Amino acid sequence: MMEYPSKVPQRTYGTTLPQQFEQLQTDELVLRFAASRQRQAADPYRPLYHYVNPEGPSNDPNGFCYWQGRYHLFYQQYPPEDRRQHWGHACSEDLVYWRDLPIAIYPGIEEKCYSGSALVEDDRVLACYHGTRAGTMIATSSDPLLLNWDKIPGNPVIPETEAAEMPYRIGDPCLWKGEKGYYSLSGARRGRHLIDSRPVAHLFFSEDLQNWTYRGEFVEGDVFTAAGEDCAVPYFWPLGDRYILIFGSHQRGAQYLLGDWDEGAGRFRACAHDRFCFGPINNGGINAPTAIPDGDGGVYVMHMLNHGLVTGDWNGIMSLPCRLRLGPGDTVINEPVAALEALRTEHRHIGATALPANRDIPLQGIEGNAIELVARVDPGKAREICLEVLRSPGGEETTSIRFLRDGGAVKSKGPETFHDTLVIDTCRTSLLADVLARPPETAHFDLAAGELLELRVFIDRSILEIFANSRRYMALRVHPGRADSLGISIRAQGCDAVLHSLDAWKMRSIWI
């Protein structure tokens, strides 16, 4: 088998936590990463409180896991001396403050270390990933900071093949353990990529991690996904009394199927579906997810956001970590992790405020591009509530978050009624000529009669993330060109409304 050795420095680390922390103080890669962060700190689009790789571009997050008191995030890193996918590595004790660690997994018999997942066992962590020109690879680590990784004998455990006679295609594996043994999903597609393809996940089974049997296609009842999609970077975990398959498509980005897992039959029967991305993945959209159980019936998820402006030798940014939990009627509740509140500073509050129809109401004293907002609005009979952020004083640049009553498609059940919608409109976000164009992001979001609209908004220089009533999550990259595009305003269209309250905080940097 061919060998593809990496040009990036590698070393072996101690096996105790004191040894590892001492070695990291003088580690070549860690010092290099710190210097790179310092050089890039003045970039106006690098985030203050989202994780961004320290050096060079990055891609999909991988191998999210919790081990010995720390969360570990891996991701596709492209080192400057060897621009191939390696597994970059960071850890955190609270999912907010992150510590850069040395590269974890390097190419060897595989040309590139593509996407995959991690499985935590009592005495070790297993990384299962796609090694190009090889197949499904498995590596293990058991030291305190997961610095030392060994690839198991027999790799690739499932060889890569494009042979027409094979019933499956290898890619982006997800690994978990059931009652009978180990299972792995290989994310793939059926049909012509990005044209008429449909998502397919292939299921494999093993008792010993080295010998794998193909069990067939994994998902039944997918009447939800669209033509042209695929099942990239799948993650499969329990969610309440259901199971959730979170994945991305190269056309429509991160999404999920909810349903039930029949281990005996080797099938996942889908009953519901929703998305995290509501447009194309390119030009600032949500790309790939990574997910792990939270230990309490929920799932933590993070996403990678693609760039909307080429900003130098970096671009991939991770979303805030979110917690998913099962709500009533197979809804999925999506909330930012509570530890983010520790970043709040300089609180500002606005109490009950009338919103006369068809007038922009500037929110005096509320501004910034590294802030959190919590707005509670009674829309009344207004057909639209528009919260504008990153607004220049004259409105030349502005980003609109719009709630539209009955502004969406016809509902599929019951009498002919229409979905409410939530829209992020970045068409006027930037005056810069080289910002990439993106149509408004539009998602179903139904607000019950008498229910307040509750928007929790995170702005971090070039990232906008929204949580609406804990039921809808949306995110985009934004790149205002003016230094004074910091303002906030609100507007009710058609009829009067009431702003019940708005709270705002400036957010601390996680790198200080």
Side-chain angles (χ1 to χ4, degrees), residues 238-240 242-246 255-259 271-276 297-301 322-335 445 467-473:
L239 187 73
R242 298 279 198 181
Y243 280 78
I244 191 168
L245 175 63
I246 301 173
Q255 55 194 282
Y256 67 80
L257 289 164
L258 189 71
C271 66
H273 170 264
D274 210 339
R275 298 182 182 274
F276 302 102
V299 169
Y300 289 129
V301 64
C322 310
R323 180 176 183 257
L324 308 182
R325 57 186 176 87
L326 192 62
D330 287 332
T331 59
V332 173
I333 305 301
N334 194 329
E335 299 170 314
F445 173 70
F467 298 82
N469 294 64
S470 298
R471 299 197 301 272
R472 174 61 69 211
Y473 169 79

Side-chain angles (χ1 to χ4, degrees), residues 282-285 306-311 315 434-437 477-479:
N282 57 293
N283 296 15
N306 282 326
H307 66 275
L309 172 70
V310 177
T311 50
N315 270 308
D434 49 353
V435 168
L436 302 176
R477 297 291 302 280
V478 288
H479 298 88

Side-chain angles (χ1 to χ4, degrees), residues 14 29 85 90 98 122 131 142 161 166 191 301 330 361 372 380 394 499:
L29 287 178
Q85 289 87 337
W98 293 92
D122 289 341
S142 58
T161 178
M166 299 302 292
V301 64
D330 287 332
I361 309 297
E372 178 190 353
L499 174 65

Side-chain angles (χ1 to χ4, degrees), residues 137-211:
M137 304 285 295
I138 295 179
T140 68
S141 180
S142 58
D143 62 77
L145 293 178
L146 302 181
L147 301 182
N148 303 303
W149 288 87
D150 296 311
K151 298 172 187 179
I152 69 171
N155 272 310
V157 296
I158 306 174
E160 183 176 79
T161 178
E162 291 290 338
E165 65 271 14
M166 299 302 292
Y168 57 80
R169 179 181 282 113
I170 293 298
D172 300 348
C174 168
L175 180 68
W176 77 93
K177 196 170 187 179
E179 294 181 0
K180 299 180 179 181
Y182 295 96
Y183 294 90
S184 176
L185 287 183
S186 185
R189 68 183 187 274
R190 183 192 304 109
R192 294 172 297 175
H193 188 41
L194 302 179
I195 300 173
D196 59 3
S197 60
R198 296 301 299 264
V200 173
H202 295 290
L203 182 67
F204 297 83
F205 173 78
S206 175
E207 295 181 349
D208 59 6
L209 294 174
Q210 293 180 316
N211 300 287

Side-chain angles (χ1 to χ4, degrees), residues 194-238:
L194 302 179
I195 300 173
D196 59 3
S197 60
R198 296 301 299 264
V200 173
H202 295 290
L203 182 67
F204 297 83
F205 173 78
S206 175
E207 295 181 349
D208 59 6
L209 294 174
Q210 293 180 316
N211 300 287
W212 291 84
T213 302
Y214 179 55
R215 293 289 306 274
E217 293 187 9
F218 181 59
V219 179
E220 291 182 358
D222 176 14
V223 297
F224 308 101
T225 54
E229 300 200 80
D230 58 335
C231 185
V233 291
Y235 292 88
F236 184 69
W237 300 115

Side-chain angles (χ1 to χ4, degrees), residues 245-267:
L245 175 63
I246 301 173
F247 62 99
S249 91
H250 288 85
Q251 186 181 81
R252 296 285 301 277
Q255 55 194 282
Y256 67 80
L257 289 164
L258 189 71
D260 298 307
W261 159 234
D262 183 339
E263 184 172 359
R267 295 293 181 270

Side-chain angles (χ1 to χ4, degrees), residues 278-280 282-283 423-427 436-442 476:
F278 301 92
N282 57 293
N283 296 15
V423 178
I424 305 177
D425 190 343
T426 60
C427 295
L436 302 176
R438 187 178 182 87
E441 200 91 340
T442 303
L476 283 178

